[in-house]
Every structure is written in C-alpha cells, then in structure tokens.
Amino acid sequence: LSPHWLPWTQRAFAFNMIHPASVLYLGVFGFKRNLQALQHVPIGRVEINPGNFQKDTVYTLQYKLFSSSHVQKDRKSRGTVRIRLRVEIPDERAALMATLKP
C-alpha cells in the first residue's frame, strides 16, 4: 500500500504540549472491510520526542513503522511514514520552568 492525502484535504494538526518532555505518539491505521462494517487495522506506530528539535524550524522526517515500541533484534518494519514537524514555543521561560517541576 502507498496511502497519501489528496492535495485538497486538510492535513495539518496542532498539538499543545503541556510539558516540554512530552512525547508525541503517532499511530497509522488502515481499513479492513468486514462482512458487517469497516474495521480499523493498526499498521504501526512512532514515538516522537519534540524536545529533540529546534523551535521554529521545519523538519521533514521519515520514520519506520513498527507494531510496538519494544526494541527487538528481529523486528521488521511495517512501512514508513513521512511527516513535517515544527515546534513552536511561545514562552521559552515558562517552558524552562515547566522542566523543573516534577
């Protein structure tokens, strides 16, 4: 499969970070037609740490998809996902202070 969004579809999302060490979990699903309904079928997932990126810089990233986050020697990729990421930090001081709180 090679799914993609069509040019006229809305495909941008904004996620608010509560803590600078927050991790973004991105899941990719497909559809499987059952006799009675469509089912969501998990393809893979990615964990993205926004703290690894500079603010106000646009990154185009490609990640391999795996069925779980457990690292195993023989695990196989279930495809790839390409994303564009930009981290915005409106108040750097508040973000720094949040890292000091438990």
Side-chain angles (χ1 to χ4, degrees), residues 17-52:
M17 289 191 320
I18 296 172
H19 192 275
S22 297
V23 176
L24 175 65
Y25 296 95
L26 176 66
V28 178
F29 295 83
F31 286 107
K32 180 179 179 182
R33 185 173 300 278
N34 198 344
L35 293 175
Q36 298 159 355
L38 288 174
Q39 291 180 316
H40 287 86
V41 178
I43 296 173
R45 58 180 271 174
V46 176
E47 296 179 16
I48 302 169
N49 185 351
N52 293 336

Side-chain angles (χ1 to χ4, degrees), residues 3-4 8 16 22 26 29 31 47 49 52 55 59 63 68 73 75 77 87 92 95-97 99-100 102:
H4 61 278
W8 59 84
N16 294 322
S22 297
L26 176 66
F29 295 83
F31 286 107
E47 296 179 16
N49 185 351
N52 293 336
K55 72 177 194 117
Y59 296 90
Y63 290 99
S68 75
K73 289 183 181 181
R75 73 178 183 165
S77 170
V87 177
E92 289 186 55
L96 179 62
M97 296 305 285
T99 61
L100 302 175

Side-chain angles (χ1 to χ4, degrees), residues 4-15 84:
H4 61 278
W5 281 282
L6 299 174
W8 59 84
T9 60
Q10 185 176 4
R11 55 192 188 262
F13 301 93
F15 301 99
R84 188 173 302 132

